Amino acid sequence: MKSKMLKFGSTGIAAAMAFALLAGCGGNDGNGNKEAATNSASPVPSSSGESTASASADTPDISKKVEVKMYLAGDAAADSPLVEQELNKLLEKDLNATLKIINIPWADWGTKYPLILTSGEKYDLVYASNWAGFSDYARKGAFMAIDDLLPKYAPAIMKQLPSEAWDEVKIDGKIVGIPSYQDDYVTDAMVVRGDLREKYGVPPVTDLDSLGVYLDAVKKNEPNLVPLDANASEDLLIPTTPYEIVDGAIYANSYEDLKTGNINHLAFMDAFEPFVKRMKEWNDKGYFSRGMLTNKGYSYGSYEKGTSAVGIGNTGQIFSALANTQITHPEWKSEFVSFRLKTKAGVHKLSFMSEGMAVGRFAENPERALMVMDKLRTDKTYYNLFHYGIEGRNYIINAEGKRDNPPGVTPDKNGYLANNNGQWGFIVTSMETQDANEWPDKRKIINPQFDEFTTPDLMGRFVFNRDNVKAELAAMSQVYIQYAKPLKWGFTKDPAKDIENLRNKLKAAGSDKVLAELKQQLVAYFNQ
């Protein structure tokens, strides 16, 4: 699936996914992790309707106690069972229902999520999003049409979302999803040690040149610190370019080129060869961890642990690292870095269905499920409990009205970090309580700067149909993993020779056929 990268930041899964997609093309790591297996299913089914024998036409019937079964993305937290218990106390009182929350661990995501959606399992609610193939699954009948149910069973959500949000989740004219409502964006970012930068007289990091100066200073002066302790799936190249991701390691040259299908595999694009040569220089100088090609951890995690002088991630992950380290290591003077502030490209507002939920095709209690969602998204008591945990144990509201850690509870000791346990499909920006430990410059400086050049997410609902090129994509995936990933981090003796070999291998694997198929679908997507 995606990866544990997804666990951090208010932008949640979509934010992390956009970054994880940089990995490759055709499978996990080589496929950008966006692919979601799909099986044939019936057209969009409609809801059957709950019995209203003991209720008026306008009043939901809750005379029968039911259990709502809900699947969420990602690992459960240590305190998730406690939060579920508290939620059920409220739900039993208000809706005569209980909620059974089942988290799909990241380790099982790639196999379990497709199986849930295609096996005919009876569940009521499930995480759904563009990155996880929402449109594709919806067209094959995985989700229930809920147009007739929403006004009666989720009226507050109906009012909460603008009409364009509902338009985004319509398939064949039917509403088959409930999008989140996040006023946010996702793009690449980094965090560096401001104390070390100042100590060694290094200028602010704004691009690859200045990053190289910083890494060199760390290498020469901090023998117990790895300048960049990353893994090979992380990326430094794309943030330096105007390239726009299409699928996996296939990109458009610019934002406008998306609409015309002017695309290519990253290995054939102009920025690739000079970047590989630079990475070889950095690798030879010892800027990277020796075990990078087999390392499973991510650099932003290594940064927080104090083993890496740089953390790479998306804005959500990096804002989280900044917030955490200003508590755990204020002496580091952690600094936000995004090459996008210089290139002024590649920053997009989240689409509505970048995160969301759906009612299962075979849901036994779709009406009560929507009533539960209505509470979780629009009632502040439910929202705080579901998103932040138990007040006094997992969070407090301080004198300024901001959400804070309870006394003596640090983020690493908190059993239910806010919005970190699968709640992404329920996030509504207007319902959020500001985090007292949020990195202060996010709202004051960084967000306004990004707003100057942020563009809509044109690719939000595009899903590449791989049926005609499955074999080629599988072959390209293996080529990417074996040859491209090492090259991107400078593991080469002869860059020019190895790049030529990579390109030949991709051609032999069928890259031309894949590009032609993808271009055809991309042009059709923008012309529909």
Side-chain angles (χ1 to χ4, degrees):
M1 163 312 334
K2 299 178 32 165
S3 79
K4 294 177 184 178
M5 291 172 65
L6 302 168
K7 297 198 298 181
F8 292 86
S10 62
T11 54
I13 310 185
M17 193 55 222
F19 185 78
L21 282 172
L22 304 178
C25 179
N28 186 24
D29 270 336
N31 184 11
N33 298 328
K34 188 177 181 180
E35 182 175 3
T38 54
N39 294 340
S40 296
S42 304
V44 176
S46 297
S47 54
S48 57
E50 184 175 76
S51 170
T52 57
S54 60
S56 70
D58 298 323
T59 305
D61 175 16
I62 59 172
S63 59
K64 177 184 176 182
K65 184 177 180 179
V66 303
E67 179 183 78
V68 173
K69 184 178 179 182
M70 177 171 73
Y71 279 107
L72 296 180
D75 303 288
D79 284 354
S80 289
L82 298 179
V83 172
E84 185 174 326
Q85 288 177 19
E86 294 302 311
L87 282 171
N88 282 330
K89 290 178 184 178
L90 296 173
L91 289 169
E92 285 190 77
K93 177 183 176 182
D94 294 338
L95 300 179
N96 196 24
T98 57
L99 179 63
K100 178 62 176 176
I101 301 174
I102 306 170
N103 284 72
I104 307 171
W106 293 133
D108 301 329
W109 178 267
T111 55
K112 191 168 184 178
Y113 185 72
L115 183 62
I116 290 167
L117 297 188
T118 60
S119 64
E121 180 179 346
K122 294 180 179 180
Y123 60 86
D124 297 298
L125 293 170
V126 66
Y127 173 82
S129 71
N130 289 332
W131 73 262
F134 166 71
S135 295
D136 201 19
Y137 281 117
R139 290 185 187 282
K140 294 182 178 182
F143 310 128
M144 182 182 290
I146 54 176
D147 307 65
D148 296 337
L149 297 179
L150 283 167
K152 182 173 182 178
Y153 299 103
I157 293 178
M158 288 287 288
K159 295 177 182 177
Q160 192 179 62
L161 288 167
S163 59
E164 55 266 31
W166 295 114
D167 290 340
E168 190 173 310
V169 294
K170 286 182 179 179
I171 299 295
D172 297 330
K174 297 289 186 179
I175 294 174
V176 292
I178 305 103
S180 63
Y181 197 8
Q182 302 182 58
D183 183 18
D184 215 333
Y185 49 76
V186 60
T187 191
D188 327 88
M190 290 187 291
V191 57
V192 300
R193 291 270 299 269
D195 62 329
L196 299 182
R197 187 185 64 75
E198 293 174 357
K199 181 178 180 180
Y200 301 120
V202 174
V205 177
T206 60
D207 52 22
L208 282 178
D209 289 338
S210 52
L211 177 61
V213 176
Y214 170 76
L215 293 173
D216 192 63
V218 173
K219 178 62 180 177
K220 290 177 178 177
N221 297 287
E222 298 290 331
N224 297 320
L225 186 62
V226 178
L228 179 51
D229 182 19
N231 72 58
S233 67
E234 298 185 72
D235 183 78
L236 280 176
L237 170 56
I238 299 306
T240 70
T241 72
Y243 299 164
E244 292 282 347
I245 188 166
V246 178
D247 190 89
I250 297 174
Y251 293 82
N253 283 289
S254 69
Y255 187 71
E256 291 302 319
D257 283 334
L258 286 170
K259 302 173 185 178
T260 62
N262 184 11
I263 60 175
N264 210 338
H265 191 283
L266 181 61
F268 295 92
M269 301 183 82
D270 292 342
F272 189 73
E273 185 166 354
F275 177 80
V276 170
K277 292 178 178 178
R278 186 194 291 260
M279 291 302 104
K280 173 176 170 49
E281 294 175 5
W282 287 11
N283 200 333
D284 290 346
K285 291 178 180 179
Y287 294 171
F288 309 141
S289 51
R290 291 296 91 190
M292 175 178 281
L293 294 180
T294 56
N295 186 9
K296 301 300 182 184
Y298 291 91
S299 59
Y300 62 82
S302 298
Y303 179 87
E304 290 196 47
K305 294 175 183 176
T307 61
S308 179
V310 177
I312 304 171
N314 60 49
T315 43
Q317 294 153 355
I318 298 306
F319 287 146
S320 178
L322 286 160
N324 291 339
T325 55
Q326 74 178 357
I327 297 172
T328 58
H329 291 285
E331 73 279 6
W332 289 358
K333 300 181 180 179
S334 295
E335 296 178 342
F336 177 86
V337 174
S338 178
F339 296 164
R340 299 297 192 181
L341 292 171
K342 190 169 185 176
T343 63
K344 298 192 182 303
V347 182
H348 308 304
K349 284 287 186 182
L350 291 177
S351 60
F352 289 106
M353 206 57 187
S354 60
E355 316 278 5
M357 298 294 294
V359 175
R361 177 189 181 190
F362 299 107
E364 293 186 313
N365 302 294
E367 300 86 357
R368 210 75 61 91
L370 288 173
M371 294 176 74
V372 169
M373 274 205 72
D374 215 42
K375 287 290 188 184
L376 293 177
R377 282 185 50 139
T378 67
D379 184 300
K380 193 64 173 174
T381 298
Y382 281 87
Y383 192 94
N384 286 359
L385 177 58
F386 182 52
H387 289 262
Y388 310 142
I390 299 171
E391 188 169 4
R393 178 184 177 93
N394 305 115
Y395 79 99
I396 61 171
I397 301 299
N398 65 20
E400 297 178 344
K402 296 180 180 180
R403 174 172 45 84
D404 206 344
N405 296 307
V409 179
T410 55
D412 59 319
K413 302 296 183 183
N414 195 328
Y416 199 85
L417 290 173
N419 289 327
N420 200 42
N421 317 294
Q423 312 95 325
W424 301 289
F426 290 80
I427 292 177
V428 178
T429 299
S430 63
M431 292 292 292
E432 287 287 305
T433 301
Q434 185 175 346
D435 184 356
N437 300 300
E438 178 182 82
W439 183 56
D441 285 349
K442 176 185 176 183
R443 293 174 187 253
K444 294 189 297 183
I445 300 174
I446 303 303
N447 279 24
Q449 289 186 47
F450 278 135
D451 285 345
E452 294 178 5
F453 54 89
T454 296
T455 50
D457 179 12
L458 296 180
M459 298 294 291
R461 296 190 66 185
F462 178 76
V463 178
F464 182 26
N465 184 337
R466 294 165 165 76
D467 290 348
N468 294 333
V469 288
K470 285 182 178 179
E472 291 79 7
L473 284 168
M476 289 173 66
S477 172
Q478 293 306 309
V479 171
Y480 186 91
I481 293 170
Q482 185 174 352
Y483 299 99
K485 288 176 70 174
L487 275 174
K488 284 181 65 180
W489 288 104
F491 289 91
T492 174
K493 293 182 179 179
D494 188 335
K497 180 180 178 181
D498 288 341
I499 290 172
E500 182 181 6
N501 181 53
L502 166 63
R503 290 170 175 170
N504 289 337
K505 295 282 187 182
L506 287 169
K507 290 275 189 180
S511 61
D512 287 341
K513 181 179 178 181
V514 170
L515 287 168
E517 177 70 23
L518 183 52
K519 179 176 181 178
Q520 179 181 344
Q521 293 185 31
L522 192 63
V523 171
Y525 168 76
F526 281 108
N527 288 336
Q528 65 184 358

